[in-house]
Amino acid sequence: MWKSKQRSSPHDLLLSPISAGRSREPEFSSRWSEYLAGGMASPTSTPWSFKSETQAQSSAAGCGGGGWSASSTKGLHIQYVVQLSEVGEGLLAKIYRLNQMLDHPKPVGHVFSDAFWRSGIFPNFPKICVMVSKKFPEHTSKMQLERVDKGALDALNDGAEVYVQNLEPWVQLLLDLMAFREQALRLLLDLSSTVITLLPHQNSVMLHAFMDLFCSFVRVNLFSERIPRKMMLQVYNLLHTMLRNDRDCDFYHRLVQFIDSYDPPVKGLQEDLNFVSPRIGEVLEAVGPVIFLSTDTRKLRNEGFLSPFHPRYPDILTNSAHPMRAQDLANVTSYREWVLLGYLVCPDELLRVTSIDIALVVLKENLVHTLFRDEYILVHEEYQLYVLPRILESKKMAKAGRAKQKEADLEYSVAKQMERVISEVHEQAILSCDSIHLERRILLKQEIGRMVLFFTDQPTLLAPNIQMVFSALDLAQYEVIWYFQHVGIASSKSKAASTVPVEIDPSDPTIGFLLDGIDHLCYLVRKYIAAIRGYALSYLSSCAGRIRFLLGTPGMVALDLDVSLKGLLQKIVQHLENIPKPQGENIPAIRCDLSEFRKDWLTILMTVTSSRSSINIRHLEKATVSTGKEGLLSEGNAAYNWSRCVDELEWQLSKHGSLKKLYFYHEHLTTVFRNTMFGPEGRPQHCCAWLGVASSFPDCASHVVPEEVTKIGRDAVLYVESLIESIMGGLEGLINILDSEGGFGSLDMQLLPEQAAAYLNYTSKHSFLSPGGTSAFTMPGQESYPDSNNSIKMLEAAMQRLTNLCSVLNEMEPICVLNHVFVLRECMRDCVIGNFRRRFLAVLKIDSDLQRPSILEKLIHRHISIVHLAEQHVSMDLTEGIREILLGEAFCGSVSSLQISLRPADVHTGSAAEAICNWYVENIIKDVSGATVLFVPSQKCFKSMRPVGGYFVESMSHLNELEAYIRIFGGYGVDKLKRMLKEHIAALLNCIDSSLRSNREALEAVAGSLHSGDHIERDTNVKLIVDLDTVIEFCTQAGQALAFDQILTEAAGSVLEESASLIYSLLEGITKHLPDEIPEKHEVRRMKEVANNIGLVKDHDSELVRLLVEEVGAANDGSWNLLPYLFSTFMTAHIWNTTAFNVHTGGFNNNVYCMARCIAAVISASEHVRLEREHQQTQYSANGYDGEHLDAELPNYSTAEACIKSALQLFVKLSAAIILDNGSENNRSDIVPKLIFLDQLCEMSPHIPRSTLESHVPYCILRSIYSQYYSNSSLVPLSFPGASPRSSPAVSLAHASPAFRQTLVSSNHNQDSLFNTEGGSVRSTEQKSQNSRRSGPLDYSSSTLNKIKSNEGPTSSSTRPSSLPRFANSRSGPMSYK
């Protein structure tokens, strides 16, 4: 059963506090406690601080004489006026919330959405609900609802109690609206009938209290039309009758009368407010001049109403030309609302002569008027519907009485003119309202901009002009809110049915300037708040003497003032004289509460303005104005206003400068911000103001609807995040504009190789270069041509905006929204660093392929230069963040992953380094694209027959490119690439190990046949080896990886020596003194590995392979002793049939040179590992022996060298034997590449001398081969005819390298154009002796001879003389070995 939530009986609820007197004061407070913050109006929530003032005044009134009974009642009036105004705001908040819950219904047209019925407030039975609403005010018992929807009616009857509970709080809202109407009307009637004057310059405090209640009353009733009042009451009473045996609720008939009288609300308001209409007309006439002034932009500018210095006397900095007008301009927003609502509900006042111009000015610049938050009414439609008929009626009545009296003739003329104004002003407003406000915004932009500059330069003049600052803030606030109120408004013309949208420019830059101006003015006021308070205290101190003088004038002495009034005037003087005197730096420490002073002055005002008082305001003015100075009332009002600058300055600043209402237009706010912030007239410094607006958004929440705080706070946070995202997007855009080919890229003085080649091709086709250069690239110095002025200006503007924006964001205070704090400096840092990472990853790949590291490094340097430019204007290290990004892209594991104990596989790297490393391994080592990647020993790089992606392989594998890669990613990038190479080589070593194990028996048979010299058995056993060609391919790939690792090592050493020369020299010195012992200690092994990674170890390949062999656990059985035999069988493979030597590259057409590197490294590493493991096995098996015996058996480094040399010599011997045995008169085509292969293996290995091959193949053959290669044409390969044994040994054209058979791939790529062979000195020597046989790279210089002697040892040098005398002048031709 429903229980009423009424706080008292209906009679008590609607009882006027005025008629009830002081005995009803507690009932009033309890009646509206839900709508009052804390039960009473607080000083911070009202501009007059009536809480303490009226309470103290009421308590003091009881001790006065009979003349104070009126002031006592008047004190109650003012308190209730303020409280009822706050109650009106609470009612509006409740109506707004209900309207949202019901999905904004349209009760006038009975249009209700599906969400309306799903809200749970009304029963979901549309037919019955809409029927009872349409039949209002007819009683539901007479509607025969069972015929409308019998099932719904039964369902209502069954769930009546639940439905009643759902409707109960909102029916209570109707009761509150009815009570508010009656109490507000009685207060307005009493004030209008008892207050003598309500003029702004005489009684502004009571005027604002009266008009605020008036406007609140009008807005509440206009807004209440948006909720389904009729349906709510009818459905509730229907349910009540079902529960109470057909008995209506107690208040049903009164609510019916109330709703019916306000249907529509404007007509009800016009009837109810008819008794206060004359006072409203007087007030509107009084504020008319201020409204005219606010619309006259020329007068405001020319006469300096918003200028801090005197317009006619510029030397006078303090502007005292218009003190009262400057103060009135601060209230012009309220005056406009008074005019719009006052003439709407009091249309008879439009028949005043002066009212026509006032109404015309305000109507012409407004299309809508806000009722509450973002809810509005279309002003012109309301005037045409409800005001124009009253004007026509007055015109008709005046026309009937024109012949009898002149007043009727004047009234007819005014009515006719007003009719024309209302009929035409709507169309004028649609066409001109935006231009009017745009002109006003431009004026305020200029004036506020000058004001900010002036007060920043002269802060001491801020305090004397504080009222002017408040006026400027109020005007700017109104213009900004007006702009967003009219965005998206569609208004219907009076003479047309179609609606016309109002054209509001969403990219208007003045909004940003006004927001920035408001923000700067508020900042200046808060910054110099102590100075303003000090000036106000000084003014109040001086005002005390003037008021005391006025009280002693003859006029005041002649007035018969009663004791109480005289005592109050003396208390005013005492308050002012007791104000502390500001001295020096103690002003901020002064805490002065002037509420008692304002309370006493307000009591005086209420007394002298009451019609019941014997001494009124006119008496005081006449008694004091004769002195020639300001009157007593003027001095007191001025002191009242200045006193609020002492202890209520923050509240005043919030009132005039707060933009919290923009919360309800925050979506439009975001759109306009994005359109204007980075537009042509946008300013980076404006973003502070756009963001600062959000701090006041939570103030929009009403305590009547608690859940609003969470929603508004969340929306405010989202708004700030959206704006920060836009700001950071603009910051990224500015950086990216500069970091582009049209930005700083156009200023580069050094061309890329591709650009240089394009220019060379262009100049070869044209006799001169045009100033514009080619279509693809711009010439260096292009920016100096006049045609490029616009581009340079664009760059300068972008740089200026970037630096300004960075400076502003760096200095911006944190944005606080509820419990969220946004620090723009940190957001900017994250933006710059995040943008660098995105740009870095974007330029890493071009057209789905990898960017060259050198170009990538150049782009990084260009971007970092822009970051350095921005870094000069911020107080943070952005470069450190860039380094962190590069480090993160090279290494993204935890710090603990850097410990030595962890396996390298546990360390994860960033995506950038990963992508580059994968490209190198896939396209160079594995050659997955099939581009025929070849290693070029002479240039120490890889080349390809066709491009891989956008580049040839040589442009990616050059030493300079790897150095650029290392400079970008540092040591972690090197480690990642080396790790991938090692993993690939280790996998290949496992394959070799598997091949050795699986072919062990066949290899043992091959070894026996090789030593026995049985060629037939040897060939038979070789054929038994499984997957020999696959093993050859694995060895070639491993050699490619070793060659690439060698280049990477040289690049790492070069970069380390250049960047950290001290560390490099330290490692170099340590490496020279590392002991050569077997087995090596862990520390020595670790140090050698480090040295090998930067190229300080002479045998790089062997050291690397030895480490990998130990890691993979290979060479742990006797099968690895057969390595020389396995590798020697490679000479029987079919790969040699297509192998050709290229004299320009020093390598072969199928990378068998890399296979030679692999063979030398693997044999060397296997012997080292074998000796170490033999030593370990010896130690395990000899635990019982003494140490001396063990020391004698320890292998040393010379033993390892001897074993490696022996194994390599065995491989050369076996290979040479197989080569020469397989040679015949009919099959000599593969002898030449095989011999060169063995010669290169001997040359690259530091363990055997190059002359090792001489004992098996006479050098006369090799000299003839090299001589023929170097003597013939550089582009014509040699042929090996095989017809005559005296013919020159050469290879067939069919077996030549593909680089010889194809033409040049591109204009800027030549596969064989650049080469540097080792035989240059030999050729130069042979040119001097034409009769001597030319030699290839077999010129043994002194250094080479020393190398041979040192490698061969004393035995070799004593038993075999040098090969140089034997073959220096040899003329022997090729020899056939059978």
Side-chain angles (χ1 to χ4, degrees), residues 298 512 693 855 1061 1127 1145 1231 1277 1287 1311 1355 1360:
R298 180 176 298 179
V693 171
I855 299 178
S1061 56
F1127 291 151
T1145 64
I1231 293 179
S1287 300
Q1311 177 73 21
T1355 306
R1360 184 170 61 249

Side-chain angles (χ1 to χ4, degrees), residues 923 926-934 943-949 951-953 1311:
N923 293 283
K926 298 181 180 179
D927 192 15
V928 295
S929 61
T932 314
V933 178
L934 302 175
K943 288 190 176 184
S944 60
M945 301 303 297
R946 60 181 180 82
V948 178
Y951 298 101
F952 286 92
V953 168
Q1311 177 73 21

Side-chain angles (χ1 to χ4, degrees), residues 985 988-990 992-993 996 1031 1034-1036 1038-1039 1042 1099-1106 1108-1109 1114-1115 1120 1122-1124 1126-1127 1130 1154-1170 1204 1207-1208 1241 1245 1247:
I985 296 174
L988 297 175
L989 290 176
N990 279 327
I992 296 175
D993 182 66
L996 282 171
V1031 177
F1034 289 160
C1035 291
T1036 304
L1042 291 173
D1099 192 2
H1100 166 268
D1101 296 349
S1102 298
E1103 287 293 331
L1104 177 61
V1105 174
R1106 179 167 65 121
L1108 295 178
V1109 168
W1120 279 72
L1122 300 174
L1123 265 179
L1126 174 65
F1127 291 151
F1130 290 176
C1154 296
M1155 184 173 65
R1157 297 190 67 150
C1158 175
I1159 291 173
V1162 170
I1163 291 177
S1164 174
S1166 65
E1167 291 298 321
H1168 267 286
V1169 173
R1170 182 180 62 80
I1204 295 172
L1208 288 173
L1241 184 142
S1245 176
H1247 303 286

Side-chain angles (χ1 to χ4, degrees), residues 127-326:
K127 291 184 179 180
I128 290 182
C129 294
V130 173
M131 173 62 69
V132 298
S133 177
K134 289 182 177 180
K135 295 291 185 179
F136 183 87
E138 183 179 348
H139 198 276
T140 55
S141 61
K142 302 178 182 179
M143 296 182 187
Q144 298 181 350
L145 296 177
E146 62 276 359
R147 295 186 177 183
V148 178
D149 193 341
K150 182 66 168 60
L153 192 63
D154 295 338
L156 279 175
N157 201 356
D158 295 338
E161 187 172 354
V162 176
Y163 295 134
V164 163
Q165 292 177 358
N166 293 336
L167 279 172
E168 176 187 339
W170 306 112
V171 174
Q172 181 66 45
L173 177 61
L174 294 180
L175 289 173
D176 293 340
L177 290 173
M178 183 170 60
F180 176 75
R181 172 213 178 190
E182 298 192 10
Q183 294 189 13
L185 284 176
R186 294 191 183 188
L187 277 177
L188 292 174
L189 174 60
D190 187 72
L191 288 174
S192 64
S193 61
T194 58
V195 177
I196 296 176
T197 177
L198 286 173
L199 297 180
H201 62 282
Q202 291 181 342
N203 198 8
S204 63
V205 177
M206 293 193 65
L207 169 64
H208 281 270
F210 174 78
M211 291 304 298
D212 283 352
L213 178 58
F214 170 81
C215 293
S216 178
F217 176 68
V218 174
R219 287 189 286 112
V220 166
N221 285 282
L222 289 177
F223 194 25
S224 64
E225 189 182 19
R226 307 289 174 88
I227 60 175
R229 299 173 297 171
K230 301 176 184 178
M231 181 186 297
M232 189 182 300
L233 178 59
Q234 292 285 70
V235 173
Y236 180 82
N237 191 63
L238 175 63
L239 296 170
H240 189 276
T241 56
M242 293 177 178
L243 294 174
R244 298 295 184 90
N245 300 322
D246 296 334
R247 285 179 54 190
D248 295 331
C249 53
D250 298 336
F251 44 80
Y252 172 71
H253 296 285
R254 301 186 66 188
L255 281 177
V256 168
Q257 183 182 2
F258 165 65
I259 295 173
D260 190 53
S261 63
Y262 275 75
D263 185 25
V266 178
K267 289 187 177 181
L269 289 169
Q270 289 176 351
E271 294 177 3
D272 287 346
L273 296 174
N274 187 49
F275 62 92
V276 298
S277 181
R279 298 306 297 269
I280 298 297
E282 294 174 5
V283 171
L284 299 184
E285 277 189 330
V287 300
V290 182
I291 294 176
F292 293 147
L293 175 62
S294 68
T295 58
D296 192 349
T297 56
R298 180 176 298 179
K299 188 175 182 179
L300 288 174
R301 181 184 289 109
N302 295 340
E303 298 191 14
F305 283 93
L306 297 176
S307 178
F309 46 82
H310 200 287
R312 292 183 294 277
Y313 308 101
D315 295 337
I316 305 176
L317 294 180
T318 302
N319 186 4
S320 58
H322 314 283
M324 293 303 297
R325 281 288 180 262

Side-chain angles (χ1 to χ4, degrees), residues 578-616:
N578 293 332
I579 289 176
K581 303 296 186 293
Q583 295 178 357
E585 299 179 355
N586 67 336
I587 299 177
I590 296 177
R591 294 293 180 266
C592 187
D593 184 8
L594 298 178
S595 60
E596 288 296 321
F597 161 74
R598 289 192 296 272
K599 177 259 299 182
D600 292 336
W601 180 252
L602 184 58
T603 305
I604 293 173
L605 278 181
M606 290 186 294
T607 301
V608 300
T609 56
S610 174
S611 60
R612 303 185 181 101
S613 178
S614 58
I615 302 298
N616 58 40

Side-chain angles (χ1 to χ4, degrees), residues 836-837 840-841 843-844 850-854 856-857 860 882-892 909-917 920 961-977 1048 1055:
F836 171 76
R837 185 178 186 276
F840 175 65
L841 296 178
V843 300
L844 184 63
L850 194 68
Q851 180 67 275
R852 284 170 51 189
S854 59
L856 184 62
E857 182 186 24
I860 291 175
I882 300 297
R883 295 193 187 102
E884 291 176 357
I885 291 297
L886 292 176
L887 177 61
E889 292 302 322
F891 175 82
C892 62
T909 58
S911 58
E914 185 83 22
I916 295 178
C917 294
Y920 276 123
E961 299 297 329
L962 293 177
E963 288 177 354
Y965 166 81
I966 296 171
R967 283 191 292 267
I968 295 172
F969 296 103
Y972 294 118
V974 177
D975 291 344
K976 174 60 182 176
L977 187 52
L1048 181 63
V1055 173

